């Protein structure tokens, strides 16, 4: 039972353009959502998060949008840079889950110079 | 903030051997998590500690797996009688638990069972 899904295994974008990574979830109890970035042979690094009481959160080049009715969130990276090339994981947690995160399968982002 | 530290970074073992991994969380963090990640998948939750108490274990954690956090600081994850299917990246994460809901991850231990 995949409660968090990232349906695009990979995304290729030109430097300077927008990268849009998508994530869907099924568990209505999830109320906090995060994006992590992962380089090979390293652990995931926190990027940005959003609470279910918001529909948008912005941090520099990164913006996360949440559509609760559609159970969908997306991460926008503008402008994309070659250093953004990595695997991006969407994760979700429920209020009473001790902070336990449920992850999607990840999307490999490649930003070409 | 010295970050979450995991040791070893890599472990190669033969099927049937026992292995033990260590995790040192960020010092003031009382919550500690173990995850496992296989190729092409996201990290999967294995178990969670609040201080020294193990409060949740995933169904993924078979009887061959045991985790401890004896003094509420570092944690160990032991796999007995390893199988080839145990080959994965084992990730440790910690959080302060005080309204902060993001986890800080270590670099992981890559286990290869031959």
């Amino acid at each position: 039972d995949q409660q968090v899904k990232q349906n695009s295994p990979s995304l290729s974008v030109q430097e300077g353009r927008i990268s849009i990574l998508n994530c869907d979830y099924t568990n209505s109890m999830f109320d906090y959502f995060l994006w992590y970035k992962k380089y090979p042979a390293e652990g995931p690094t926190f990027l940005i998060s959003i609470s279910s009481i918001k529909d948008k959160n912005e941090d520099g080049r990164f913006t996360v949008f949440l559509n609760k009715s559609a159970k969908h969130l997306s991460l926008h990276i503008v402008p994309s840079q070659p250093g953004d090339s990595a695997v991006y994981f969407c994760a979700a947690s429920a209020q009473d889950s001790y902070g336990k995160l449920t992850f999607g399968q990840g999307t490999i982002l490649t930003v070409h110079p | 903030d010295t970050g979450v530290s995991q040791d070893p970074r890599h472990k190669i073992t033969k099927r049937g051997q026992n292995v033990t991994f260590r995790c040192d969380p960020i010092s003031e963090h009382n919550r500690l998590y173990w995850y496992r990640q296989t190729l092409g998948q996201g990290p999967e939750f294995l178990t969670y500690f609040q201080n020294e108490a193990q409060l949740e274990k995933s169904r993924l954690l078979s009887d061959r797996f045991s985790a401890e956090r004896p003094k509420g600081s570092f944690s160990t994850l032991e796999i007995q009688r390893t199988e080839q299917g145990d080959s994965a990246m084992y990730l440790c994460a910690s959080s302060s638990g005080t309204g902060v809901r993001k986890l800080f991850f270590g670099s992981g231990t890559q286990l290869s069972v031959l």
Side-chain angles (χ1 to χ4, degrees), chain A residues 2 31-32 34 36 38 41-46 89 93-106, chain B residues 9-10 31 33 35 37 40-45 48 50 55-56 89 91 95 101-108:
Chain A
Q2 192 77 31
D31 67 342
Y32 195 76
L34 308 90
Y36 280 81
K38 186 179 185 300
E42 293 185 13
T45 302
F46 170 78
F89 291 101
S93 77
Q95 177 70 32
D96 298 324
S97 65
Y98 305 114
K100 178 181 76 176
L101 298 182
T102 301
F103 284 85
Q105 309 95 309
Chain B
R9 290 294 305 273
H10 304 276
R31 292 182 170 182
Y33 310 79
Y35 281 79
Q37 185 181 13
Q41 299 297 317
E44 294 176 298
F45 171 78
Y48 157 71
Q50 173 96 16
L55 296 184
E56 187 175 347
M89 168 83 79
L91 293 162
S95 77
R101 295 174 68 176
K102 72 180 182 187
L103 304 189
F104 296 82
F105 282 85
S107 296

Side-chain angles (χ1 to χ4, degrees), chain A residues 9-45:
Chain A
S10 63
L11 176 67
S12 184
V13 170
Q14 204 70 28
E15 180 179 7
R17 307 294 278 264
I18 185 170
S19 296
I20 300 176
L21 296 98
N22 293 301
C23 177
D24 297 292
Y25 63 96
T26 57
N27 189 339
S28 301
M29 300 303 292
F30 289 149
D31 67 342
Y32 195 76
F33 305 90
L34 308 90
W35 285 93
Y36 280 81
K37 177 179 177 180
K38 186 179 185 300
Y39 293 115
E42 293 185 13
T45 302

Side-chain angles (χ1 to χ4, degrees), chain B residues 11 13-14 16-20 78-82:
Chain B
K11 179 70 177 178
T13 191
K14 291 183 179 178
Q17 298 293 304
N18 298 344
V19 294
T20 300
E78 181 183 17
I79 309 174
Q80 296 182 328
R81 304 181 303 281
T82 52

